[in-house]
Amino acid sequence: MIVTIAGAGNMARGIGTRTLAGGHTLRLYDRTRTKADELAASLGRAASGADVAAVDEGAVADSDVVVLALPYPAGRDVAAAWAGALAGKVVVDISNPVDFSTFDSLVVEPGTSAAEQIAAAAPGARVVKAFNTTFAGPLVTGEVAGRPLDVFVAGDDDAAKQTVSELVSSAGMRPLDMGPLRRARELEGFQFLHMASQERLGLNWSSGIAILP
């Protein structure tokens, strides 16, 4: 399948690595084109023969899956701007709407989630929540302590969830169906606690690797 990732940060690198490991075509978009170019070149060097390239936003029209590897609310804003192009597309939201200035709360209102807001911003898209509980570092290898990563998947469109699950499985990870898109509320809350606990565990949540003294 053709997977387009919006964003060129650590999570885009991790998900892009796994996408190529699954044998898929990868397209990378970032509003700063040089970042997408650099990530595409890096991923291409790491996976010889891989079909990976940086693209402009118009490439989403040819995509089977569009991954919004962007923080909240940037992912919601991009979904709104691309709403027409995303109609009928499988769109994956990976974000966690955490207040990063305090690490004390989520910034979405109770009774909703970042994923549900993205679905509202692009009503024709088939939105799936996935990858929000996986850290960037382990995504590059696809496992932790020799065990495959679990990827929680939530969405209202069963066929869209199946497509995302197939992407996850092909990349050597294990998809777990969490039910409808509203389960993103619990997934986002769970990951907020997971991220907040990292320092106490001697870990760096942004990379998922141990902090050495």
Side-chain angles (χ1 to χ4, degrees), residues 9-105:
N10 289 336
M11 285 298 291
R13 178 180 294 277
I15 295 170
T17 299
R18 300 265 52 81
T19 296
L20 294 177
H24 304 288
T25 297
L26 178 63
R27 299 292 177 254
L28 297 165
Y29 167 82
D30 193 272
R31 63 181 181 179
T32 303
R33 177 59 185 258
T34 55
K35 292 182 179 179
D37 287 333
E38 290 168 0
L39 180 57
S42 176
L43 292 175
R45 288 192 297 270
S48 179
D51 187 350
V52 52
V55 293
D56 295 321
E57 62 184 75
V60 299
D62 298 324
S63 305
D64 299 301
V65 176
V66 177
V67 180
L68 300 177
L70 299 164
Y72 177 88
R76 181 196 63 194
D77 296 342
V78 167
W82 292 0
L86 293 177
K89 299 292 182 183
V90 177
V91 176
V92 179
D93 166 44
I94 75 163
S95 68
N96 289 295
V98 174
D99 184 342
F100 290 104
S101 66
T102 64
F103 249 107
D104 193 45
S105 65

Side-chain angles (χ1 to χ4, degrees), residues 72 96-110 185 188-193 195-196:
Y72 177 88
N96 289 295
V98 174
D99 184 342
F100 290 104
S101 66
T102 64
F103 249 107
D104 193 45
S105 65
L106 298 175
V107 294
V108 293
E109 295 293 326
R185 304 170 193 177
E188 292 170 8
F190 165 79
Q191 185 63 4
F192 162 56
L193 292 175
M195 293 165 72

